[in-house]
Amino acid sequence: MTTHSDEVVIREISVGDYADVLALNSVEQHFTSEIDESRLHELIRWSAHHRVAYSGGTVFGFILAMAASSGYDGVNFRWFADRYPSFLYVDRIVVARESKGRGIGAALYRDLFAQVAKMGVPMITCEINIEPSNPASLAFHERFGFEEVGSASIGGGSKRVSYQQAML
């Protein structure tokens, strides 16, 4: 399924998008995590929702989300899996810095929420860095109804995250 929003097209990630996705992720990896092509392929294989936002042949953003039943090995995903039987976990949503404020992240999330509603999943979950601070992500997620349900120090104490959920 392809969704159009203000000339931005939302569609599934293809192998041809990998270089763009990796480049976008590398700019924000202090908030997400570093990945290479092999890891990206694994993440997409585990994901129930993997989309890009593009216009004019350029990828401006992407999202990867895993279902509760996924074999994903992420520590933050496992936090939710240990507590909730059904959810879709946003592993990462990244929008190109020069495209922030154009509604691309919101378009990716509207597409995600629409798919989750069709799946019958009761909630969407994610973690947001609070150390190092990511106030833009906190504000963005708050607009979509996310609320904190826990927090943790990870990475040997180098990061602190807020575990968030949005009920559908």
Side-chain angles (χ1 to χ4, degrees):
M1 177 177 154
T2 302
T3 305
H4 297 271
S5 174
D6 299 329
E7 299 178 283
V8 172
V9 176
I10 308 294
R11 63 162 170 75
E12 285 195 4
I13 294 173
S14 70
V15 173
D17 299 319
Y18 281 19
D20 292 329
V21 168
L22 290 169
L24 288 170
N25 190 82
S26 71
V27 173
E28 300 295 335
Q29 70 187 20
H30 58 287
F31 290 127
T32 58
S33 64
E34 184 177 358
I35 56 174
D36 59 15
E37 188 171 333
S38 175
R39 181 64 173 172
L40 176 59
H41 184 71
E42 269 187 317
L43 292 172
I44 290 171
R45 185 174 47 83
W46 281 320
S47 72
H49 186 86
H50 46 274
R51 312 283 250 178
V52 291
Y54 76 98
S55 179
T58 302
V59 173
F60 292 102
F62 73 94
I63 187 169
L64 296 172
M66 284 61 169
S69 60
S70 171
Y72 179 44
D73 60 0
V75 63
N76 295 313
F77 170 83
R78 296 271 33 115
W79 189 94
F80 290 106
D82 289 346
R83 289 162 177 79
Y84 304 106
S86 182
F87 60 88
L88 204 70
Y89 168 77
V90 177
D91 180 65
R92 61 193 73 215
I93 178 170
V94 177
V95 174
R97 286 187 179 171
E98 66 275 7
S99 298
K100 290 190 178 183
R102 289 184 48 206
I104 292 169
L108 286 164
Y109 257 34
R110 282 191 302 274
D111 181 69
L112 171 69
F113 274 72
Q115 180 176 345
V116 170
K118 290 176 190 173
M119 294 168 65
V121 175
M123 73 179 83
I124 298 173
T125 63
C126 69
E127 90 280 346
I128 301 168
N129 284 2
I130 50 179
E131 201 56 49
S133 179
N134 192 345
S137 183
L138 280 168
F140 174 80
H141 284 88
E142 187 176 282
R143 287 193 304 273
F144 280 90
F146 282 84
E147 297 179 342
E148 185 172 87
V149 293
S151 65
S153 289
I154 61 171
S158 64
K159 281 187 178 184
R160 184 150 185 80
V161 295
S162 169
Y163 293 120
Q164 303 261 328
Q165 74 178 18
M167 299 302 293
L168 294 152

